[in-house]
Amino acid sequence: MDKFRMIFQFLQSNQESFMNGICGIMALASAQMYSAFDFNCPCLPRYNLAYGLGILLVPPFILFLLGFVLNNNISMLAEEWRRPQGRRGKDPAVLRYMFCSMAQRAMIAPVVWVSVTLLDGKCITCAFCTSVPVETLGNASHPGLSQGEMKRVLARIPCKEIYNGQELIANEVAVRYLRCISQALGWCFVLLMTTLAFLVRSLRPCFTQAAFLKSRYWSHYIDIERKLFDETCAEHARSFAKVCIQQFFEDMSRDLAAARLHPPRKAPADAGEAAEKLLGITDQGTMNTALKSWHKCKPPLHLHPPALSRGNGWAGEEQPPMHPSVPRREMAAYYSRV
């Protein structure tokens, strides 16, 4: 258990690196999922487009949502967005920064899926095989085929074993044409995503450096505050349970002593220390009120430093004059006596 606890603490302290690793694993998993996926085009005019675009767009959407689900900060963002105003204001810029950071990581796996799918070409071939320009690539003057029959013949282009339109257009010609377009779209998509990532990661902080630093600082603060609050609650719950159990056994000991079975035992030495950690919150109702108050009215982000002491006074020492109206000559005389 200690090893698992150490691993969990390491992942918590290196959460950003951990999330980057998760995103990389999801990207590799999406590529492996596509390579292992058994692509079966229906080869029907009414279903080819839906099947091809569905395979191209639905899995990336699922991977995008999965990227948010695996991110631990999504609950923190929702909590910060939905909490009451209270005595602490909510900065929309910080919320946007947190959402954009999570969205950037969640988009890695979908981008990989779309890129691999377009570069492979099967989805585009299945979806748009009925739109092949027969006038340019095949024999448009083929007799005896109506428009509907021609659509049915072209819809079988991805299914080489049942394709029977070689006289209309060669299967290899149509597949190469559609795959060429798909790969061109794939490389354009990769270029577009790379350019957007460069602009977002590199150029945005240069133009809005002050706002960027402010948003990043307070997003880190919200994350750290939540972790410290959870740790404090866990420590308080541990102390609460410890004192509750100790009181139970003390009561049992007194009951047994009253029955003259054995003398009561002394309370453990650390019982007082555990009680001090409760900070005066010693019942369920008070704890629930404290948690509700934390949610509804978090303390303002304005720390009041303790007042500067003018001396402890317990040793009877003469204190130097501190008021600004005291002349410097008197100050110098005091320190010369010291």
Side-chain angles (χ1 to χ4, degrees):
M1 291 299 295
D2 293 337
K3 293 182 179 180
F4 287 109
R5 188 179 296 109
M6 291 176 60
I7 294 174
F8 181 72
Q9 291 176 353
F10 173 78
L11 294 178
Q12 279 191 330
S13 60
N14 299 271
Q15 187 175 9
E16 185 172 358
S17 301
F18 174 68
M19 290 308 304
N20 291 335
I22 288 293
C23 293
I25 293 174
M26 287 185 59
L28 294 176
S30 64
Q32 290 296 325
M33 286 170 56
Y34 180 80
S35 61
F37 178 73
D38 188 12
F39 188 88
N40 290 314
C41 184
C43 297
L44 295 173
R46 296 182 180 180
Y47 300 100
N48 282 11
L49 181 62
Y51 183 82
L53 295 183
I55 297 299
L56 179 64
L57 301 177
V58 174
F61 180 72
I62 297 175
L63 292 172
F64 182 72
L65 294 180
L66 189 61
F68 277 100
V69 171
L70 295 178
N71 197 318
N72 295 328
N73 293 330
I74 186 64
S75 59
M76 180 181 63
L77 175 63
E79 179 184 347
E80 183 66 18
W81 177 51
R82 293 294 300 171
R83 71 171 176 85
Q85 188 80 8
R87 293 187 295 167
R88 180 188 298 183
K90 293 188 289 187
D91 191 354
V94 177
L95 299 178
R96 285 195 301 268
Y97 174 84
M98 296 170 61
F99 177 79
C100 291
S101 298
M102 288 185 287
Q104 289 173 15
R105 293 189 177 96
M107 285 181 62
I108 295 177
V111 166
V112 171
W113 177 277
V114 174
S115 302
V116 172
T117 304
L118 290 177
L119 292 176
D120 183 65
K122 292 180 181 178
C123 288
I124 297 298
T125 301
C126 179
F128 299 101
C129 58
T130 57
S131 302
V132 173
V134 180
E135 298 83 1
T136 306
L137 303 177
N139 184 14
S141 60
H142 189 274
L145 287 179
S146 63
Q147 191 70 20
E149 293 174 345
M150 185 178 295
K151 291 286 185 182
R152 283 194 293 271
V153 171
L154 294 178
R156 297 176 182 177
I157 289 177
C159 307
K160 185 181 296 186
E161 61 276 5
I162 62 172
Y163 180 67
N164 56 356
Q166 293 291 342
E167 298 179 356
L168 180 64
I169 183 174
N171 180 272
E172 188 66 22
V173 173
V175 170
R176 285 178 176 271
Y177 172 78
L178 293 172
R179 184 169 293 178
C180 176
I181 295 177
S182 179
Q183 291 179 351
L185 292 175
W187 284 116
C188 291
F189 180 77
V190 171
L191 178 62
L192 177 63
M193 291 295 105
T194 306
T195 305
L196 288 178
F198 171 76
L199 294 177
V200 170
R201 302 288 292 180
S202 301
L203 298 184
R204 188 187 65 174
C206 298
F207 292 102
T208 58
Q209 184 67 25
F212 177 77
L213 292 176
K214 183 188 71 171
S215 301
R216 185 171 61 177
Y217 174 85
W218 289 115
S219 66
H220 291 334
Y221 172 84
I222 294 172
D223 185 22
I224 295 172
E225 183 188 55
R226 185 189 183 189
K227 291 178 181 177
L228 292 178
F229 182 77
D230 292 341
E231 293 174 3
T232 305
C233 288
E235 184 179 357
H236 187 278
R238 182 182 296 274
S239 302
F240 199 114
K242 189 173 185 180
V243 173
C244 186
I245 293 172
Q246 288 172 351
Q247 290 180 355
F248 170 77
F249 282 103
E250 289 173 5
D251 294 339
M252 290 293 298
S253 178
R254 283 193 294 268
D255 293 340
L256 293 175
R260 297 182 180 181
L261 296 178
H262 66 80
R265 297 181 180 179
K266 295 183 179 180
D270 57 348
E273 180 182 354
E276 290 179 357
K277 292 182 179 180
L278 295 179
L279 302 176
I281 304 177
T282 57
D283 61 272
Q284 184 179 7
T286 307
M287 190 65 211
N288 292 337
T289 302
L291 294 175
K292 188 181 297 183
S293 176
W294 174 262
H295 171 70
K296 290 185 175 181
C297 188
K298 287 188 178 181
L301 298 176
H302 180 69
L303 303 180
H304 298 281
L308 295 177
S309 175
R310 298 193 179 207
N312 45 37
W314 59 271
E317 297 177 353
E318 182 184 359
Q319 299 301 319
M322 300 296 293
H323 199 273
S325 62
V326 178
R328 295 184 179 180
R329 185 179 302 174
E330 295 183 13
M331 293 284 293
Y334 169 78
Y335 284 108
S336 64
R337 292 197 305 270
V338 175

